[in-house]
Amino acid sequence: MPQLQRLAITAAQICDRQIDLTREQQHYLNRVLRLQAGDRFIAMDGRGHWWLAVLEARETGLFASIAEEIAVNRELPVEVTLMAALPKGNAFDEVVRQATELGVASIVPVTSDRTLLKPSDQKVDRWKRIAAEAAEQSERQFVPTILEPVSFDVAVKDCGQKYRYICVARGDNRHLWDCLIGSFEPPFVGAVPPCPPPAGGELSIVIAVGPEGGWTEGEVKRAIEFGFEGVSLGSRILRAVTAPIVALSLVGAAFEKC
């Protein structure tokens, strides 16, 4: 199949094998991508389904018809939740974008003792749009879930993942890589199932990454009390926007086929 443009839609837009395109989607397909009636593109619902769609026109505007469903497997064989303390400014935009490209399943924005940013509802909507765009670009089957920001204490208390890691910049902690390789035996490491496992399942990981200056000693202690293991990402001190990328890259390297 030739390289086709991808468009994230919602399941509610599909009815009788037709896709009801929003005005923004019509503008994007027609004005930005320069697609015309009869051209094909890939529609993805962000929940694991891809369809080959054909752009069509009617008096009220453009819509799309579904030609066929496309079978793809682009997801990590482990469900990863990124619990990330909010950095200053708009830096979290890039965290969301790159974490999506690296296969994260969900992102929990966290306000910590050292967090300066107090996100608005508009910020959360923006992060969801960025995740959808990044999923399109990276050919993901799933658009990550962006949860509402919560306090650190609530996030660690409500965590339901089986394997829980909190990244600590200093101290004598095991490297995250060693934890991943040591905790998951074959056929899990390197095996690629057809879709991500359910939340809370055996292949479910949460990684908590701190803000500028890192987690406080009290935060690390409280996380450990709730079943988290302190881990290292290496001997260098990483920026708040770099650490999530390093952590997720290690997960991808440990679990994806070469």
Side-chain angles (χ1 to χ4, degrees):
M1 180 181 295
Q3 183 69 25
L4 298 176
Q5 297 290 342
R6 293 166 299 281
L7 180 71
I9 63 172
T10 65
Q13 291 179 255
I14 302 175
C15 182
D16 295 330
R17 299 189 65 81
Q18 291 188 354
I19 303 173
D20 184 18
L21 300 171
T22 66
R23 290 187 180 276
E24 292 78 10
Q25 290 169 339
Q26 293 180 49
H27 179 271
Y28 177 68
L29 291 170
N30 185 234
R31 300 296 183 181
V32 178
L33 300 182
R34 302 296 183 183
L35 298 186
Q36 304 294 325
D39 289 337
R40 301 184 302 170
F41 65 94
I42 294 173
M44 46 178 284
D45 68 353
R47 303 268 60 89
H49 299 98
W50 279 23
W51 295 276
L52 178 63
V54 180
L55 192 62
E56 299 189 29
R58 56 190 172 198
E59 291 184 1
T60 56
L62 298 173
F63 71 102
S65 59
I66 294 176
E68 61 182 277
E69 186 164 2
I70 303 172
V72 291
N73 182 17
R74 303 287 172 83
E75 298 301 312
L76 290 175
V78 57
E79 185 181 80
V80 185
T81 295
L82 175 65
M83 187 183 296
L86 291 166
K88 59 188 176 182
N90 293 322
F92 202 69
D93 291 5
E94 197 59 27
V95 172
V96 172
R97 181 176 292 107
Q98 296 190 35
T100 299
E101 293 177 10
L102 290 168
V104 74
S106 59
I107 299 175
V108 184
V110 171
T111 56
S112 69
D113 292 344
R114 292 182 171 137
T115 297
L116 300 177
L117 177 67
K118 294 183 179 180
S120 63
D121 292 340
Q122 289 75 20
K123 281 276 189 181
V124 177
D125 290 339
R126 174 178 171 80
W127 296 333
K128 290 179 179 179
R129 289 195 299 271
I130 289 172
E133 292 168 0
E136 291 176 5
Q137 181 274 323
S138 57
E139 300 188 3
R140 291 278 307 269
Q141 292 167 259
F142 288 77
V143 176
T145 301
I146 311 297
L147 279 70
E148 295 293 326
V150 296
S151 69
F152 174 81
D153 287 344
V154 170
V156 297
K157 181 180 179 181
D158 292 346
C159 180
Q161 283 75 14
K162 181 175 182 178
Y163 297 95
R164 310 172 187 184
Y165 305 108
I166 182 168
C167 299
V168 184
R170 293 178 173 85
D172 186 20
N173 295 295
R174 283 203 301 165
H175 198 283
L176 176 59
W177 174 264
D178 295 328
C179 295
L180 295 172
I181 297 302
S183 298
F184 298 87
E185 299 297 333
F188 299 135
V189 174
V192 182
C195 60
E202 190 169 12
L203 293 183
S204 185
I205 297 174
V206 62
I207 301 176
V209 180
E212 287 88 349
W215 303 112
T216 64
E217 290 184 7
E219 287 171 332
V220 174
K221 180 179 179 180
R222 295 197 296 275
I224 291 173
E225 290 174 351
F226 282 104
F228 282 74
E229 178 180 355
V231 295
S232 168
L233 294 179
S235 58
R236 290 161 298 282
I237 304 301
L238 304 176
R239 296 172 61 227
V241 294
T242 307
I245 310 311
V246 173
L248 294 172
S249 296
L250 290 170
V251 173
F255 285 92
E256 286 194 297
K257 286 184 176 180
C258 298

